[in-house]
Amino acid sequence: MSKLRVSSFAVSIDGYGAGPSQDLDNPLGIGGVALMEWFFPTRTWQHMHGNAGGETGVDDDIAAHGLAGIGAWILGRNMFGPIRGSWADESWRGWWGEEPPYHTPVFVLTHHARPPLRMAGGTEFRFVTDGIQAALQQARDAAGDRDIRLGGGVSTIRQYLRAGLIDELHLAIRPVVLGTGEALFAGLDLPALGYETARYVPGVRATHVFLRKRAP
Amino acid sequence: MSKLRVSSFAVSIDGYGAGPSQDLDNPLGIGGVALMEWFFPTRTWQHMHGNAGGETGVDDDIAAHGLAGIGAWILGRNMFGPIRGSWADESWRGWWGEEPPYHTPVFVLTHHARPPLRMAGGTEFRFVTDGIQAALQQARDAAGDRDIRLGGGVSTIRQYLRAGLIDELHLAIRPVVLGTGEALFAGLDLPALGYETARYVPGVRATHVFLRKRAP
């Protein structure tokens, strides 16, 4: 069966997966951009954004691997945009312009229904209002035998972890302190939820830790 | 002036510096030994315990550096032993046998007075009942121009961090999850307290992150 996995999700050493006060100017929260500074220099990220060049090496290999074999994505509503509450209109079409870097169906968790949004390059945002299990089932149906990638954010990952639904969790531990923001681990007992370290790969700008769910 | 520094202090990726329920059988708390598994194989640790051999390399270099140039130590009371409350008698002489690996004065924070305890090899435990500032002043007087190492545990390090008294903090980030225990970062805003990353060195069994206090 296809796996539900989190890949390339960056966390500070003090456990924050985003800075505080996300808005249009700070999609990763204030100071949160420091979390992504391992990813921006990679060839994978540069190519996603239409640029030539970029660094190769461990960080790039792992970033590329995280994108391979994905048949559907799941995103929390705040990963899709900074708007809260009901959709005032349908003018917000994501952070990524007309050709988002997903190229698959993307299931967006929200409490507010909205028609699907077909973008260039094969991405289609589908808005799911009946919870994380329903989104996972729809993503499984769409992905076939490919994997499903859970993009985040922190609150969404925590919900799926608590439910024990994530099969693999790759964290890029960034050697920075944020001090405040969205805490990934607070109050979550990952060993009790069945997670253990499968692999540890030091990179140039992050330390990569792969957690997996033990077989029941 | 000599520095107050924390060295080789291990933390899990979910932010625990010790497991829960420390006692005589679990000096690092339940599961806490996983935090130290980067240190045990090093030549530095093996030599401290009278053994030949041990691994050299990044982890060992950093462990050795943490022990160099130290003129005094400060320990929280639980680092000295598992006894809580008043000293029933003076039979507890630390975890380390008759020749502890400090070889300097060691200032132990406690609410319960006790006469100094002179051990073999130059270690003398001195019990300080008037707080972290007093312990630091006594340690400075003892250390001269050498540095003072703050050994831990988590609660003691947090007290000194909140007071902005630590100059350098080396954390050995272990690629494990503990899920429960003594949380190092919870509720501490290290950037607001003046701390930033000075250096990041990936090791074989831990990722070494050096935080320093910015000049005021």
Side-chain angles (χ1 to χ4, degrees), chain A residues 15 122 137 146 211:
Chain A
Q137 189 54 55
R146 287 176 295 165
L211 303 176

Side-chain angles (χ1 to χ4, degrees), chain B residues 5-8 38-39 42-49 60-73 101-104 146-147 149 170:
Chain B
R5 53 184 168 101
V6 173
S7 300
S8 299
W38 73 277
F39 191 33
T42 64
R43 186 172 66 175
T44 296
W45 195 88
Q46 293 295 329
H47 282 208
M48 282 167 66
H49 294 80
D60 182 60
D61 290 347
I62 288 176
H65 190 77
L67 292 163
I70 301 296
W73 285 71
Y102 299 104
H103 313 294
T104 70
R146 286 176 296 164
D147 287 343
R149 181 158 160 184
H170 159 223

Side-chain angles (χ1 to χ4, degrees), chain B residues 26-80:
Chain B
N26 291 286
L28 303 167
I30 294 168
V33 75
L35 296 172
M36 297 297 287
E37 283 169 357
W38 73 277
F39 191 33
F40 296 148
T42 64
R43 186 172 66 175
T44 296
W45 195 88
Q46 293 295 329
H47 282 208
M48 282 167 66
H49 294 80
N51 304 323
E55 295 179 12
T56 56
V58 169
D59 291 338
D60 182 60
D61 290 347
I62 288 176
H65 190 77
L67 292 163
I70 301 296
W73 285 71
I74 298 172
L75 302 183
R77 196 259 175 85
N78 298 352
M79 286 255 338
F80 177 70

Side-chain angles (χ1 to χ4, degrees), chain A residues 38-195:
Chain A
W38 73 276
F39 190 34
F40 297 148
T42 63
R43 186 172 66 174
T44 296
W45 195 89
Q46 293 295 329
H47 282 208
M48 282 167 66
H49 294 79
N51 303 323
E55 295 179 10
T56 56
V58 169
D59 291 340
D60 182 60
D61 289 347
I62 288 175
H65 190 78
L67 292 164
I70 301 296
W73 286 70
I74 298 172
L75 301 183
R77 195 262 176 83
N78 298 352
M79 286 252 342
F80 177 69
I83 301 160
R84 303 293 185 265
S86 60
W87 308 101
D89 56 44
E90 288 171 16
S91 61
W92 180 264
R93 296 166 65 81
W95 300 101
W96 307 275
E98 283 306 300
E99 186 171 345
Y102 298 104
H103 313 294
T104 69
V106 177
F107 296 87
V108 178
L109 293 158
T110 170
H111 294 291
H112 303 277
R114 182 171 164 176
L117 189 55
R118 187 179 296 261
M119 310 295 288
T123 297
E124 183 174 299
F125 295 111
R126 302 184 194 166
F127 300 88
V128 180
T129 56
D130 45 355
I132 65 171
Q133 297 269 6
L136 178 56
Q137 189 54 55
Q138 293 176 45
R140 277 203 202 290
D141 294 343
D145 57 2
R146 287 176 295 165
D147 286 343
I148 301 146
R149 181 160 160 184
L150 178 58
V154 167
S155 162
T156 303
I157 292 174
R158 287 169 57 84
Q159 290 176 56
Y160 278 97
L161 283 171
R162 275 191 208 281
L165 293 172
I166 295 175
D167 299 296
E168 292 180 6
L169 180 70
H170 159 224
L171 299 174
I173 310 293
R174 282 276 300 151
V176 298
V177 283
L178 289 192
T180 176
E182 304 283 320
L184 180 61
F185 301 107
L188 278 189
D189 185 337
L190 289 180
L193 289 167
Y195 293 93

Side-chain angles (χ1 to χ4, degrees), chain A residues 5-34:
Chain A
R5 54 184 168 99
V6 173
S7 300
S8 299
F9 196 80
V11 185
S12 64
I13 61 169
D14 51 352
Y16 295 103
S21 306
Q22 184 209 39
D23 64 14
L24 194 58
D25 295 327
N26 292 286
L28 303 168
I30 294 167
V33 74

Side-chain angles (χ1 to χ4, degrees), chain B residues 8-214:
Chain B
S8 299
F9 196 80
V11 185
S12 64
I13 60 169
D14 51 351
Y16 295 102
S21 307
Q22 184 209 39
D23 64 14
L24 194 57
D25 295 326
N26 291 286
L28 303 167
I30 294 168
V33 75
L35 296 172
M36 297 297 287
E37 283 169 357
W38 73 277
F39 191 33
F40 296 148
T42 64
R43 186 172 66 175
T44 296
W45 195 88
Q46 293 295 329
H47 282 208
M48 282 167 66
H49 294 80
N51 304 323
E55 295 179 12
T56 56
V58 169
D59 291 338
D60 182 60
D61 290 347
I62 288 176
H65 190 77
L67 292 163
I70 301 296
W73 285 71
I74 298 172
L75 302 183
R77 196 259 175 85
N78 298 352
M79 286 255 338
F80 177 70
I83 301 160
R84 303 293 185 265
S86 61
W87 308 101
D89 56 43
E90 290 173 11
S91 61
W92 179 264
R93 296 166 65 82
W95 299 102
W96 307 275
E98 282 306 300
E99 187 171 344
Y102 299 104
H103 313 294
T104 70
V106 177
F107 297 87
V108 178
L109 293 158
T110 170
H111 295 290
H112 302 277
R114 182 171 163 176
L117 188 57
R118 188 179 294 262
M119 310 295 288
T123 298
E124 184 174 299
F125 295 110
R126 301 184 195 166
F127 301 88
V128 181
T129 56
D130 45 356
I132 65 170
Q133 297 270 6
L136 178 57
Q137 190 52 57
Q138 292 176 46
R140 278 204 201 289
D141 294 344
D145 58 3
R146 286 176 296 164
D147 287 343
I148 301 145
R149 181 158 160 184
L150 178 58
V154 168
S155 162
T156 302
I157 293 174
R158 287 169 57 84
Q159 290 176 56
Y160 278 97
L161 282 171
R162 276 191 207 279
L165 293 171
I166 295 174
D167 298 296
E168 292 180 5
L169 179 70
H170 159 223
L171 300 174
I173 310 293
R174 282 276 298 152
V176 298
V177 283
L178 288 193
T180 177
E182 304 283 320
L184 180 61
F185 301 108
L188 279 188
D189 185 336
L190 289 179
L193 289 166
Y195 294 92
E196 62 187 5
T197 300
R199 199 156 65 99
Y200 155 60
V201 185
V204 174
R205 294 190 178 81
T207 291
H208 304 283
V209 180
F210 296 79
L211 302 176
R212 71 173 161 219
K213 191 149 193 286
R214 286 189 299 270

